């Protein structure tokens, strides 16, 4: 079996070997310099607010699991997932195979005097390399078909260019070239291809095909050096090219997954209390090193663009373009081109203010991104810059003013906040005067908006029916400020948080219960991040605690669907299945995608007796109502509105189709947006928007 092998430099002269080694050394140096330059550039970014390299072993293991399983590529796109898996594993196998050859030739054989690249090892190696090489070529072929034949819309955009073509075609010719090289070698055997070469089934088939077409062994030997040099130069050029263009995502995307923040978006980086601290994003180097890495990790796949509700409704936002616009400007800036503003209200800037004002903070882009780009941190930083520049939309300014003056987004007096309780036939307990288990944070819309007040009343009836100890803050309650933070008003957010936490601290309770998923998110994930010690000397702010609030998890924070589901499961609240509606449920972004609360609301819908039908986009793939990130208060020229598109989906794309009677929501903002969309979209006679608490209360009353 010792002759069952192949010669590494078959038909290549000694001079040819020397030239190859020289070119390889140059390639490695160019590659190393390119990688060094990239990472040196990241060091010029600002320090990231969150730890990114803690517990590095766990981070690398988890990143490896995500990368090698291709789980993010399979999300929403089975064919894309298979395509990328074939390419990734094929490329890695070919790389590993080349490394094994190098180890045998330059380490094992010189040390032992023998080669392990013979016999059964050679046969196994050859079979695996041919198999994975075939998968690699198949994967690249699918990519070419999707890009140039099907012309998958999300693969094309203003940043699509020659390097995308060069990348995909160079990979294709590398894969095909490997088979061409091996098959010509097999065809070069005197007497025809050897039987043991059948393990290289693709190359063996090609070699026999050449023979049938008239290629002789001597002919194969004569053309082999040209094929070898062509394949080798292409491979060396590709390796040298990696750090300087799109192929670098093979390194940067893995690094990006390693340093990701698992709570990115659900919590935003804070702004230092020190007024002298420079937190603006006036220049490209004001972005953190992680944000610059985000920009380099982008592969232009367009998954974020394809799920963005702002883009779908015609707003001037494409998440991919924002990331790539910043990257393009950074590269131009580094090349010495003139500085321009990062973001501005009209005029010349990298990003226009209307683009950022279009973002709904739904986080669909981040959920869809296979390389963990944290779009929302970029967007929030630029929104903060707009606030600092006073380039804020007039509608947003009105909201900020209302919050500053009245503590709510409506601008109504605080004394009117509990007026909704007067229509109930019982008195809602005051958590300021008695100890309660559940401190119910009602929120702005359930307090002031007439339609959402019905949701609040229904939840109060559920608490009464369960006979639990609950209470509200009455006029001491203020706006939680989740969405004004995402619109860039960080200090107003901190001020509102300090007031609300101060009200919490004056009460005795075990669990904060939120009506609004937006409130639930910020109280759960962001309030414990605020270091009130930084504001101790600020005469304009009443600091509610020394240091951090609830950092140790003393208080639970729950959305009402979780609390009610627990009450039903424990038997404390009896919800008879008295209803027979055909219903669908909409996952609010801040409840589902932000905080992974998917099943509790569905269980409650089923408990009422309703027949639940899922929309195609559900759970983490849910489509935003359009109200998040300040969208509720902004005026857009949209076609169609996100709410209208979602209602169309409910009536046309669910299994029940037009038979769906109830569109169930568990978020006050969703209620407002869908009631509006029902009118503007012409769905008033087709479907009813109903709060989950209303459905539950109706079921109890109907029994």
């Amino acid at each position: 079996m010792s002759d069952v092998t192949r010669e590494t430099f078959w038909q290549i002269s000694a001079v040819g070997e020397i030239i190859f080694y020289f070119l390889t050394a140059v390639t490695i140096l160019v590659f190393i310099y390119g990688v060094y330059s990239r990472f040196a550039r990241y060091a010029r970014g600002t320090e990231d607010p969150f730890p990114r390299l803690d517990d590095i072993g766990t981070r690398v293991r988890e990143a490896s699991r995500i990368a090698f399983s291709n789980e993010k590529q399979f999300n929403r796109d089975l064919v894309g997932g298979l395509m990328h898996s074939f390419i990734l594993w094929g490329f890695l196998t070919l790389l590993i195979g080349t490394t094994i050859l190098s180890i045998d030739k330059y380490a094992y054989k010189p040390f032992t005097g023998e080669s392990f690249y013979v016999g059964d090892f050679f046969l196994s190696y050859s079979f695996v390399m041919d198999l994975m090489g075939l998968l690699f070529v198949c994967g690249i072929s699918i990519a070419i078909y999707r890009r140039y034949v099907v012309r998958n819309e999300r693969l094309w955009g203003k940043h699509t260019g020659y390097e995308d073509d060069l990348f995909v075609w160079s990979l294709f010719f590398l894969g095909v070239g490997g088979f061409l090289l091996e098959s010509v070698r097999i065809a070069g055997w005197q007497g025809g291809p050897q039987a043991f070469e059948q393990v290289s089934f693709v190359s063996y088939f090609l070699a026999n095909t050449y023979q049938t077409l008239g290629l002789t062994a001597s002919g194969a030997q004569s053309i082999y050096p040209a094929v070898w040099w062509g394949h080798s130069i292409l491979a060396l050029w590709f390796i040298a090219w990696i750090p300087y263009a799109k192929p670098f995502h093979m390194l940067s995307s893995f690094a990006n997954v390693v340093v990701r923040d698992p709570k990115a978006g659900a919590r935003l980086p804070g702004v230092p209390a020190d007024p002298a601290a420079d937190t603006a994003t006036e220049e490209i180097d004001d972005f953190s090193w992680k944000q610059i890495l985000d920009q380099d990790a982008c592969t232009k796949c367009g998954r974020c663009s394809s799920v963005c509700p702002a883009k779908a409704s015609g707003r001037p936002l494409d998440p991919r373009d924002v990331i790539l616009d910043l990257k393009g400007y950074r590269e131009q800036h580094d090349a010495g081109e003139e500085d321009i503003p990062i973001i501005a209200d009209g005029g010349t800037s990298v990003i226009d203010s209307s683009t950022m004002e279009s973002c709904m903070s739904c986080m669909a882009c981040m959920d869809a991104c296979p390389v963990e780009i944290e779009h929302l941190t970029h967007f929030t930083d630029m929104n903060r810059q707009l606030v600092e520049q006073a380039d804020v939309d007039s509608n947003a300014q009105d909201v900020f003013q209302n919050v500053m003056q009245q503590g709510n987004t409506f601008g109504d007096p605080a004394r009117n906040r509990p007026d909704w309780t007067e229509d109930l036939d019982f008195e809602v307990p005051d958590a300021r005067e008695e100890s309660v288990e559940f401190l119910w944070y009602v929120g702005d819309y359930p307090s002031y908006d007439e339609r959402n007040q019905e949701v609040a009343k229904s939840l109060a009836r559920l608490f009464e029916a369960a006979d639990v100890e609950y209470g509200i803050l009455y006029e001491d309650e203020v706006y939680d400020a989740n969405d004004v933070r995402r619109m860039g008003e960080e200090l107003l957010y901190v001020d509102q948080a300090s007031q609300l936490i101060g009200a919490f601290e004056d009460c005795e309770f075990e669990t904060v219960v939120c009506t609004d998923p937006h409130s639930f998110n910020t109280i759960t994930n962001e309030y414990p991040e605020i270091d009130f010690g930084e504001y101790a000397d600020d005469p304009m702010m009443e600091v509610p605690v020394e240091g951090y609030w609830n950092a140790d998890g003393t208080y639970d924070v729950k959305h009402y669907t979780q609390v009610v589901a627990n009450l039903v499961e424990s038997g404390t609240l009896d919800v008879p299945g008295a209803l027979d509606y055909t219903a669908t449920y909409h996952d609010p972004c801040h409840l589902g995608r932000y905080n992974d609360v998917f099943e509790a609301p569905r269980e409650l819908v089923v408990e009422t007796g309703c027949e639940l039908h899922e929309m195609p986009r559900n759970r983490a793939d849910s489509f935003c109502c359009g109200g998040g990130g300040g969208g509720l208060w902004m005026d857009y020229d949209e076609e169609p509105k996100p709410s209208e598109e979602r209602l169309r989906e409910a009536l046309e794309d669910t299994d029940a189709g037009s038979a769906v009677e109830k569109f169930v929501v568990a978020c006050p903002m969703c209620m407002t947006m869908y009631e509006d969309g029902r009118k503007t979209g012409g769905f008033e006679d087709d479907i009813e928007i109903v709060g989950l608490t209303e459905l539950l209360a109706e079921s109890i009353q109907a029994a």
Side-chain angles (χ1 to χ4, degrees):
M1 294 286 286
S2 61
D3 58 345
V4 178
T5 186
R6 72 172 175 87
E7 185 181 346
T8 304
F9 285 98
W10 185 63
Q11 300 297 316
I12 304 301
S13 67
V15 173
E17 284 191 51
I18 293 172
I19 294 173
F20 175 77
Y21 289 137
F22 172 76
L23 292 177
T24 300
V26 171
T27 296
I28 293 173
L29 289 174
V30 171
F31 175 84
I32 291 174
Y33 177 78
V35 173
Y36 168 78
S37 298
R38 287 275 193 169
F39 283 91
R41 181 65 181 84
Y42 303 146
R44 288 164 54 189
T46 62
E47 183 180 354
D48 196 86
F50 297 120
R52 299 287 185 174
L53 297 173
D54 57 317
D55 196 9
I56 191 65
T58 300
R59 283 181 172 274
V60 171
R61 286 196 301 273
E62 183 64 9
S64 300
R65 182 192 65 78
I66 293 171
F68 296 140
S69 69
N70 284 272
E71 63 180 37
K72 298 282 282 188
Q73 281 80 5
F74 279 101
N75 184 23
R76 302 182 179 94
D77 188 355
L78 176 61
V79 174
L82 290 172
M83 176 199 76
H84 194 272
S85 295
F86 289 171
I87 296 172
L88 172 65
W89 283 105
F91 186 88
L92 287 177
T93 301
L94 297 175
L95 178 63
I96 292 169
T98 303
T99 304
I100 289 173
L101 280 182
S102 300
I103 292 172
D104 176 66
K105 184 173 180 62
Y106 304 114
Y108 185 83
K109 192 172 183 179
F111 183 74
T112 65
E114 298 179 352
S115 171
F116 61 71
Y117 188 57
V118 296
D120 289 341
F121 181 88
F122 169 78
L123 295 176
S124 301
Y125 173 96
S126 299
F127 173 75
V128 171
M129 292 291 282
D130 247 44
L131 174 62
M132 299 308 292
L134 178 61
L135 290 180
F136 177 73
V137 172
C138 287
I140 293 295
S141 299
I142 294 171
I144 290 172
Y145 177 77
R146 281 158 64 95
R147 177 175 288 273
Y148 299 107
V149 180
V150 176
R151 289 189 68 86
N152 190 321
E153 182 180 355
R154 68 175 173 82
L155 299 176
W156 297 85
K158 73 176 188 178
H159 288 281
T160 304
Y162 79 91
E163 80 165 10
D164 303 294
D165 303 324
L166 191 59
F167 179 53
V168 70
W169 284 109
S170 60
L171 287 176
F172 178 77
F173 285 117
L174 277 172
V176 171
F179 283 120
L180 180 62
L181 181 65
E182 182 71 353
S183 60
V184 170
R185 182 191 64 78
I186 293 173
W189 282 88
Q190 294 297 336
Q194 301 296 296
F196 71 81
E197 299 280 17
Q198 293 181 57
V199 293
S200 301
F201 57 96
V202 177
S203 302
Y204 188 82
F205 169 78
L206 292 174
N208 280 291
T209 302
Y210 302 153
Q211 193 176 49
T212 302
L213 295 174
L215 181 67
T216 63
S218 59
Q221 292 175 18
S222 66
I223 65 172
Y224 182 83
V227 176
W228 188 91
W229 275 112
H231 182 69
S232 298
I233 290 173
L234 177 60
L236 292 174
W237 165 82
F238 185 82
I239 293 170
W241 186 53
I242 286 175
Y244 302 95
K246 186 171 182 175
F248 187 65
H249 85 268
M250 294 186 291
L251 302 177
S252 60
S253 60
F254 182 78
N256 212 44
V257 177
V258 170
V259 300
R260 76 194 188 285
D261 175 15
K263 296 175 70 176
R267 65 170 182 180
L268 298 175
V271 170
D274 182 3
D278 184 8
T279 59
T281 51
E282 295 179 293
E283 300 177 358
I284 194 65
D285 285 332
D286 290 330
F287 288 97
S288 75
W289 65 265
K290 170 59 170 68
Q291 290 172 320
I292 299 175
L293 178 59
D294 273 342
Q295 297 159 17
D296 277 357
C298 180
T299 66
K300 308 182 189 178
C301 70
R303 286 173 179 260
C304 59
S305 305
S306 67
V307 299
C308 177
K311 179 176 171 57
S313 62
R315 298 185 190 181
L317 169 63
D318 184 322
R320 170 180 58 184
D321 285 350
V322 172
I323 298 300
L324 293 176
D325 283 346
L326 292 170
K327 176 184 178 180
Y329 171 67
R330 188 190 79 229
E331 292 174 342
Q332 295 168 8
H333 177 270
D334 291 349
E337 293 198 15
E338 183 181 354
D339 290 350
I340 60 175
I342 296 295
I343 186 165
D345 183 11
T348 303
S349 60
V350 182
I351 309 294
D352 190 83
S353 61
S354 63
T355 301
M356 288 297 89
E357 290 165 355
S358 299
C359 179
M360 305 169 192
S361 296
C362 69
M363 234 166 65
C365 54
M366 291 173 57
D367 180 72
C369 181
V371 296
E372 302 287 351
I373 293 172
E374 298 170 9
H375 306 72
L376 202 55
T377 62
H378 292 76
F379 297 176
T380 302
D381 280 349
M382 286 186 281
N383 279 333
R384 288 171 176 169
Q385 179 64 26
L386 285 174
V387 170
E388 185 159 317
Q389 295 171 180
D391 284 339
V392 179
D393 181 270
S394 59
N395 292 296
Q397 290 176 352
D398 290 342
V399 172
F400 296 162
Q401 194 71 19
N402 288 340
V403 174
M404 284 188 282
Q405 292 179 347
Q406 299 291 350
N408 64 78
T409 56
F410 287 81
D412 289 346
R415 65 177 180 275
N416 295 346
R417 185 177 278 272
D419 285 357
W420 63 272
T421 64
E422 296 174 1
D423 294 335
L424 297 169
D425 54 8
F426 54 86
E427 185 175 345
V428 176
D430 189 335
R432 300 169 300 178
E433 298 177 356
E434 58 184 278
S435 175
V436 297
E437 179 181 1
F438 299 116
L439 174 57
W440 177 14
Y441 176 70
V442 183
D444 274 18
Y445 270 76
S447 296
Y448 292 106
D449 176 65
E450 185 175 349
R451 178 63 186 90
N452 277 291
Q453 285 175 348
E454 298 305 315
V455 173
K457 293 172 188 175
S458 296
L459 182 53
R461 293 185 182 105
L462 294 178
F463 284 147
E464 285 291 322
D467 194 26
V468 296
E469 295 179 344
Y470 76 102
I472 65 175
L473 293 169
Y474 281 81
E475 62 270 13
D476 283 356
E477 182 178 291
V478 297
Y479 173 51
D480 61 84
N482 174 84
D483 288 272
V484 300
R485 186 182 203 201
R486 279 151 181 78
M487 295 169 73
E489 246 298 2
E490 180 72 11
L491 295 181
L492 180 57
Y493 157 77
V494 174
D495 180 67
Q496 291 297 114
S498 68
Q499 292 183 54
L500 187 55
I501 290 172
F504 289 167
E505 287 294 294
D506 289 337
C507 302
E508 293 184 16
F509 64 96
E510 297 176 16
T511 302
V512 177
V513 182
C514 301
T515 323
D516 189 340
H518 297 240
S519 311
F520 167 60
N521 176 74
T522 201
I523 295 173
T524 300
N525 296 313
E526 298 185 309
Y527 280 13
E529 299 271 341
I530 303 173
D531 182 4
F532 287 104
E534 292 188 355
Y535 300 89
D537 298 328
D538 188 343
M540 303 297 293
M541 184 178 298
E542 294 185 11
V543 177
V545 293
E546 295 181 3
Y548 297 89
W549 175 79
N550 204 32
D552 57 357
T554 300
Y555 306 116
D556 284 335
V557 183
K558 302 286 187 184
H559 186 252
Y560 79 82
T561 56
Q562 297 171 294
V563 172
V564 175
N566 289 337
L567 293 175
V568 172
E569 183 179 1
S570 66
T572 306
L573 178 64
D574 180 26
V575 179
L579 307 180
D580 61 356
Y581 300 125
T582 301
T584 192
Y585 170 71
H586 166 74
D587 288 280
C589 303
H590 281 67
L591 186 62
R593 194 153 40 235
Y594 271 65
N595 290 288
D596 296 327
V597 179
F598 299 115
E599 301 312 319
R602 288 174 167 79
E603 293 168 1
L604 292 174
V605 173
V606 173
E607 284 288 337
T608 66
C610 290
E611 183 180 348
L612 179 63
H613 290 266
E614 295 285 1
M615 288 178 278
R617 291 177 288 189
N618 61 74
R619 294 178 169 82
D621 294 344
S622 183
F623 192 73
C624 181
C625 70
L632 188 65
W633 304 300
M634 307 291 278
D635 293 324
Y636 298 104
D637 183 14
E638 302 173 297
E639 186 60 42
K641 292 182 177 181
S643 56
E644 295 172 357
E645 165 59 18
R646 190 64 161 156
L647 291 172
R648 181 212 60 77
E649 181 179 355
L651 290 166
E652 296 181 10
D653 297 343
T654 59
D655 291 339
S658 60
V660 174
E661 303 167 84
K662 305 288 185 180
F663 188 94
V664 184
V665 298
C667 170
M669 288 192 177
C670 292
M671 173 66 78
T672 301
M673 298 304 292
Y674 287 121
E675 285 287 15
D676 177 67
R678 192 166 73 104
K679 297 171 185 174
T680 59
F683 299 109
E684 289 182 278
D685 298 329
D686 302 322
I687 197 168
E688 181 183 355
I689 314 300
V690 59
L692 181 51
T693 61
E694 296 176 299
L695 203 66
L696 291 163
E698 182 182 350
S699 179
I700 292 173
Q701 187 176 7

